Amino acid sequence: MSLLAGPEKQAEDGTEPQLAEPSGPIVNFSDLTSYKESITTGPWYTQYAEDLYTGSAGSLCATCSKLNYQWLLSNDLTRVRSGGKKIADPYKSNYSLPLGWLCNIAKNEAKCSFCNLIIKSFKKAFDVENLFNEAKTSAPKVDDHVRFRSEYPSIANFRCETSIEDTSKAAFVIQQRTPELKEVNPAEAWLELDSRPITWGVFIPFPDRYGIRIWLCSAPNGRPIEHLVFQPIMDEASQLMGRLMSPTVDYDKVKNWVRLSVANNHTDFIQLPEDISSHFRLIDVFEERLVPMNTPCRYAALSYVWGPRDNVAWLENSLGTRKHFHEPGALSTHDPRLQATLRDAMVLVRNIGERYLWIDRLCITQDDEAGKMTQINQMDSIYRNAAFTIIAASGNCPTSGLPGISSSRPVRQYIAQVKDIVLGNRLPEFNISASPWFSRGWTFQEKIMSERKLTFTNDRVYFEDITGRYEEDLYEPAVEIINGLTSMATSLKGRGVGAAYYYEFGNDLFRKYCQICEDYTGKVLSESVDILNAFAGIATALGKEFKSPFVLGLPTSALTLALLWMPTSQLKRRSIQPGGNNLFATWSWAGWEGSAVRYELLCSNYDVRIKYLEDNQLSPLQVQSTVDIDKKMRSASNENQDISVPQILTLRISALCAPFKLIAERVRIRDFMAAKREYSGIRTYALEDTEANFAGAVCIHDPLVEPDYTLDMAIGPFDLVALLRSTDIKPDENYMPPNDDSDIEYPKSVQEPLRPFDRDLRSDHEAWLSRTSQWMPSLGMNDRHFYSSPFKRFYKNKLWSTYEVLIVRQTGEYFERIGSGRCFVEAFFRNGAVRKDIAII
């Protein structure tokens, strides 16, 4: 983005924006003269400038005729103008060229081929018809008091403005939110231009392929709202050059994508696990029927949103209908009852020369409990071993179809000749996270377990593998280039669960699990009871990496760490139906619903403080019971029956426990600082020991515990269970805390400060506040937001000073988890900590 020292003024011909001299003091613009020269001169402009260019390809206005299109399509403008600085690809830079006011460019649409290309492309790509029509009848609005703006995409948009009343004064204005298109004022909208390398996948393999980017901004030097990339369009394949789109899918293109990817990443025949082969069925798209498949073969899979179950009874593969579906033509693509997405997937697979397709609704016998659960637990194998997975991201039900197969799709691309170059826009980036498919719990595991995905949206289809993305509007690189990139990507990302999405965690397997849990628990499930079924494939795959089974969604080899989940907003107990019996144990995130979970209490150094008793009832096979629950729920919903659930698993442990009083306070759990904007959806509490000293912080996620959350309200006491002892300081290899925490009474290291066990922390803290208030008078003596000061002064530099804890509530002989948090070790013993055996359900 260019940094202008004043507003843009219009030339007499109304087309060419000129830099205006500022009327007040200039902020950070001592080199204004050289800056102006750097914009108006350079290889990005032609050596001559006509008032109006007229050629065989059409006319150009005065601004567009000056642009050197060949140079822009052969160089990185941002690097040249910045002296070699690399600009982050998605962001607008401070080194772009001004094109001018949107209202002037809109008025030039009929007489300038490049202005016409810009206007038509933006209209096709975005919903800007009203904005551009209003711009034609608007005059530029000059904001005289705006001195300059500077863009920091990851933070905010900063403007330096002079005061309207007193131009000698200036102030900074921060715009933290990007305006939406519908909020843009057509009289203020502004366009700028730069050029960047064309990217393919996650790499930039060709430094000699560049595209021209046009940025639509809210005002001159304002925040960019949208942008489009323009590049030469070629009739024949040319590496990383533009390609003309069509209303229907090019099957040869898709076939080539699959061929290139499978050749590099996949074998022609896949061997599924033995326990699934006897239940495994595929659709033969040529014979249009189900076929048993217990020998290795190559197949495609379909991932889509099931939607409502209405009017699809005939389509349910059951023990009674399975024989019918094995008859040739039983799944005819000409049968209008066959849902459009399923029908289009069969047509696609057939037209690219593949024979077999796997669709869960048809290939799993829904009332064969043993076969169904076997396949649910092996979803990782089914999707990972598919030659590719078809992603139906364009609709919210199976009747939406795959755009471009049986129905045409909109073409959001416009082509025009500018001078001697045929230019066209690339499609704008598609935000798949806004699609219903992305929000579903079942499709989440299908996404991260599929190694090759063919994604259908409303206006395009693209193919993804570990290397990157193949797109319709861009010719892919040569085979030898893709081969090299595949090796590089495999070396970088590996082959683990979700390698394409979670490779940044490297060998830190548990942190990868934490991120997967956070992503998964934020998804939507039509049936709450499916929380473990929809995670079963991920659990099976992660279990191989953890080298241990999962129980209720948690890895048994890292169970203590996995217990430390926290919600992002308020939860409620998961039940079969409103007011019905609770499902699953309180110690697992599967036992709750209403929020995603996260793991923010993990320290890099920790020591486990609980022991699992030998009579634990934990079993990884417990997830199988959800099939029975699902069957009972569906039948009972029609008969108004009560539903009995399997016995909830009991976690029996020996742990150090201590009672604490809780004070309602907005305090951040991980470091005890004030939580001003965080935890907006959960209830946080400060802990107090028996001497009213600050002792830590917790969150309560059980809505039945004091639902009326009022700051400074005291509740409890509640039992805290110490799971881990942790430290943020890298410990000396020769010093680890003893298992019984006897170091609390006697310091073991001369480097450790004397423990403040007998010190009155409140008195010390108030003394510190009284001294500090001399230069910080806003600090109050009893301000609970500054409870963290004792931690910072007495504990932060002390080894092994905190426990990671669960908050439990006793119900009869059992305990229920109601929250989690962090507590000072010394406060635990100050409150009379004792070790006892407890059973958490």
Side-chain angles (χ1 to χ4, degrees), residues 272-280 370-371 374-375 377-378:
L272 291 168
E274 292 183 3
D275 59 345
I276 196 177
S277 59
S278 61
H279 304 282
F280 196 59
T374 297
Q375 294 184 76
N377 281 332
Q378 295 292 344

Side-chain angles (χ1 to χ4, degrees), residues 508 510-511 561 564 599-608 670 724-731 736 799-800 802 804 822:
D508 195 337
F510 188 78
R511 291 204 178 265
L561 287 173
L564 287 171
Y599 287 85
E600 73 167 54
L601 297 178
L602 300 180
C603 289
S604 54
N605 306 291
Y606 60 87
D607 201 20
V608 175
R670 61 179 178 272
L724 304 172
R725 188 172 175 186
S726 63
T727 180
D728 288 317
I729 305 172
K730 185 176 181 180
M736 290 290 288
L799 285 173
W800 305 105
T802 54
E804 321 305 330
R822 177 172 284 183

Side-chain angles (χ1 to χ4, degrees), residues 689-713:
D689 62 18
T690 54
E691 298 181 13
N693 291 313
F694 174 75
V698 298
C699 79
I700 299 294
H701 55 67
D702 190 329
L704 300 180
V705 178
E706 296 295 338
D708 296 328
Y709 181 76
T710 305
L711 290 180
D712 297 330
M713 177 179 66

Side-chain angles (χ1 to χ4, degrees), residues 261-308:
S261 181
V262 169
N264 281 283
N265 300 281
H266 200 262
T267 57
D268 282 340
F269 299 102
I270 298 303
Q271 181 66 59
L272 291 168
E274 292 183 3
D275 59 345
I276 196 177
S277 59
S278 61
H279 304 282
F280 196 59
R281 288 171 175 78
L282 293 169
I283 300 172
D284 186 324
V285 297
F286 287 95
E287 297 185 6
E288 298 181 326
R289 67 186 183 106
L290 283 181
V291 293
M293 192 58 61
N294 51 18
T295 58
C297 69
R298 175 166 149 167
Y299 63 93
L302 176 65
S303 175
Y304 64 106
V305 179
W306 269 45

Side-chain angles (χ1 to χ4, degrees), residues 788-814:
S788 61
S789 293
F791 167 72
K792 296 174 72 174
R793 296 179 61 227
F794 301 134
Y795 292 104
K796 191 170 185 180
N797 297 320
K798 183 175 165 58
L799 285 173
W800 305 105
S801 60
T802 54
Y803 280 141
E804 321 305 330
V805 300
L806 295 184
I807 302 94
V808 297
R809 175 183 57 194
Q810 188 165 6
T811 304
E813 61 177 313
Y814 296 102

Side-chain angles (χ1 to χ4, degrees), residues 225-493:
I225 311 299
E226 294 288 0
H227 77 277
L228 283 178
V229 177
F230 295 84
Q231 64 185 96
I233 302 297
M234 310 296 289
D235 292 331
E236 298 180 355
S238 180
Q239 299 180 73
L240 293 186
M241 298 297 279
R243 181 177 179 274
L244 189 63
M245 297 277 293
S246 68
T248 57
V249 171
D250 185 337
Y251 294 117
D252 290 336
K253 182 82 169 175
V254 173
K255 183 177 182 179
N256 189 50
W257 290 343
V258 174
R259 179 185 61 81
L260 288 172
S261 181
V262 169
N264 281 283
N265 300 281
H266 200 262
T267 57
D268 282 340
F269 299 102
I270 298 303
Q271 181 66 59
L272 291 168
E274 292 183 3
D275 59 345
I276 196 177
S277 59
S278 61
H279 304 282
F280 196 59
R281 288 171 175 78
L282 293 169
I283 300 172
D284 186 324
V285 297
F286 287 95
E287 297 185 6
E288 298 181 326
R289 67 186 183 106
L290 283 181
V291 293
M293 192 58 61
N294 51 18
T295 58
C297 69
R298 175 166 149 167
Y299 63 93
L302 176 65
S303 175
Y304 64 106
V305 179
W306 269 45
R309 295 172 176 265
D310 301 337
N311 301 321
V312 291
W314 77 273
L315 197 57
E316 290 286 342
N317 180 0
S318 64
L319 294 172
T321 62
R322 188 165 64 187
K323 183 177 180 181
H324 164 70
F325 286 129
H326 282 72
E327 298 174 358
L331 296 172
S332 172
T333 53
H334 299 291
D335 189 338
R337 297 180 302 166
L338 187 61
Q339 294 163 315
T341 300
L342 282 58
R343 181 174 61 245
D344 287 351
M346 292 176 62
V347 172
L348 168 71
V349 170
R350 184 166 56 217
N351 284 340
I352 66 172
E354 301 290 341
R355 188 174 192 92
Y356 298 112
L357 173 65
W358 188 87
I359 301 176
D360 52 5
R361 172 170 279 172
L362 292 170
C363 296
I364 297 178
T365 305
Q366 301 298 318
D367 56 356
D368 177 3
E369 295 180 14
K372 180 178 180 179
M373 200 60 223
T374 297
Q375 294 184 76
I376 285 178
N377 281 332
Q378 295 292 344
M379 283 291 180
D380 61 312
S381 297
I382 292 174
Y383 281 96
R384 186 170 61 243
N385 288 324
F388 64 97
T389 298
I390 302 166
I391 305 294
S394 60
N396 58 5
C397 65
T399 60
S400 301
L402 301 178
I405 301 296
S406 60
S407 60
S408 60
R409 57 189 179 174
V411 178
R412 303 189 184 279
Q413 185 185 51
Y414 187 75
I415 310 297
Q417 185 165 347
V418 179
K419 291 192 175 180
D420 57 346
I421 307 171
V422 177
L423 290 176
N425 66 286
R426 295 200 63 191
L427 298 184
E429 189 67 24
F430 174 70
N431 182 19
I432 195 171
S433 63
S435 68
W437 175 86
F438 188 87
S439 69
R440 310 299 293 182
W442 280 101
T443 58
F444 173 76
Q445 71 171 352
E446 295 161 9
K447 179 190 80 166
I448 71 170
M449 299 312 305
S450 299
E451 295 190 353
R452 289 156 296 279
K453 295 177 285 293
L454 183 68
T455 303
F456 283 79
T457 73
N458 291 328
D459 58 6
R460 76 196 75 186
V461 58
Y462 58 88
F463 187 84
E464 291 179 293
D465 62 11
I466 195 171
T467 304
R469 178 184 293 185
Y470 301 71
E471 301 185 74
E472 283 185 285
D473 60 353
L474 188 70
Y475 289 107
E476 56 272 1
V479 175
E480 57 271 16
I481 298 295
I482 295 178
N483 293 345
L485 294 179
T486 301
S487 300
M488 292 171 60
T490 303
S491 175
L492 171 66
K493 299 180 179 181

